[in-house]
Amino acid sequence: TAIFVLSAISPTNLEKAIRNISITLKIGGKVLLRDYYAGDHAQLRFGEAHKLGENYHARSDGTLSKFFTQEELVQAFEKNGIFRCERVKLQQKTIENQKRKLKMDRQWIDVVFIKVKHIDVIESLEQAQKKQDIRKIEIKDEKSEDQNVRNKEECDDTPLVEDDFGSFFDIPL
């Protein structure tokens, strides 16, 4: 369930957020989503100074507000073939502030997406690990030659013993 969550995420991080959602679900799992719809009264109250992009604004407290269209949300979730849109419903309600005699047309979108395909989480993790390993290698390069020489000298006299799984470990006898 994501109730007015995605609208607070930067559009540059939206794909990553959807990917993270998909990791937590099994195939057949559903995402129940409600978020701001383009043209909502809250969007109309933002001035040009708060506009960051198309239907994208910064509130005065620094939080973000994205007002989605149906096409944007469906495209974002279906982009990689991981999710399929099961149901979309635009909700509209006129709210009246009787004291101020003000009518506000509020709009939000309810969407149900179903996970239809796994993403290759292992591949993503391996890519992240490779980046991390490269950083470790760069840091250790200065010390690696001396350490390798010391390790070789310490291990030369140690016999290898086969364990139950067929691999070898250095175990002093």
Side-chain angles (χ1 to χ4, degrees), residues 4-5 49 61 66 69 85 88 93 100 109 111 116 118 120 140:
F4 299 104
V5 172
D61 65 359
K66 172 71 175 151
T69 65
C85 182
V88 178
K93 185 174 185 176
R100 295 175 53 197
I109 188 168
V111 189
V116 294
H118 280 297
D120 195 351
K140 290 181 180 179

Side-chain angles (χ1 to χ4, degrees), residues 105-148:
D105 292 322
R106 300 305 311 261
Q107 299 182 78
W108 58 91
I109 188 168
D110 290 339
V111 189
V112 178
F113 292 102
I114 187 165
K115 184 175 177 179
V116 294
K117 174 182 145 186
H118 280 297
I119 60 168
D120 195 351
V121 178
I122 302 300
E123 182 179 310
S124 298
L125 291 173
E126 285 175 352
Q127 289 172 353
Q129 184 63 44
K130 284 178 186 175
K131 288 179 184 176
Q132 188 67 16
D133 288 345
I134 289 169
R135 287 187 205 119
K136 287 178 184 176
I137 289 168
E138 289 171 355
I139 292 168
K140 290 181 180 179
D141 264 352
E142 301 165 4
K143 301 177 186 176
S144 65
E145 190 60 38
D146 292 338
Q147 186 65 36
N148 286 339

Side-chain angles (χ1 to χ4, degrees), residues 7-103:
S7 57
I9 296 173
S10 167
T12 58
N13 291 326
L14 184 61
E15 186 173 342
K16 183 178 178 181
I18 293 170
R19 191 173 195 77
N20 287 340
I21 291 169
S22 74
I23 290 170
T24 64
L25 292 175
K26 295 178 181 179
I27 290 183
K30 295 182 180 186
V31 178
L32 309 175
L33 177 85
R34 173 175 281 179
D35 228 315
Y36 295 111
Y37 191 73
D40 180 53
H41 178 76
Q43 179 184 11
L44 302 176
R45 289 181 24 220
F46 284 112
E48 282 298 313
H50 293 276
K51 189 171 185 174
L52 300 174
E54 184 69 28
N55 297 324
Y56 184 53
H57 305 272
R59 296 182 188 276
S60 57
D61 65 359
T63 58
L64 305 175
S65 285
K66 172 71 175 151
F67 295 84
F68 293 100
T69 65
Q70 176 179 331
E71 294 78 22
E72 285 176 315
L73 270 179
V74 171
Q75 183 181 23
F77 271 83
E78 291 184 341
K79 180 178 180 181
N80 296 318
I82 299 167
F83 289 100
R84 179 180 45 80
C85 182
E86 190 172 85
R87 182 178 66 88
V88 178
K89 185 174 183 184
L90 176 62
Q91 302 283 350
Q92 297 177 316
K93 185 174 185 176
T94 300
I95 299 172
E96 187 175 347
N97 181 328
Q98 293 179 351
K99 184 176 181 179
R100 295 175 53 197
K101 299 194 185 315
L102 178 67
K103 288 186 179 182

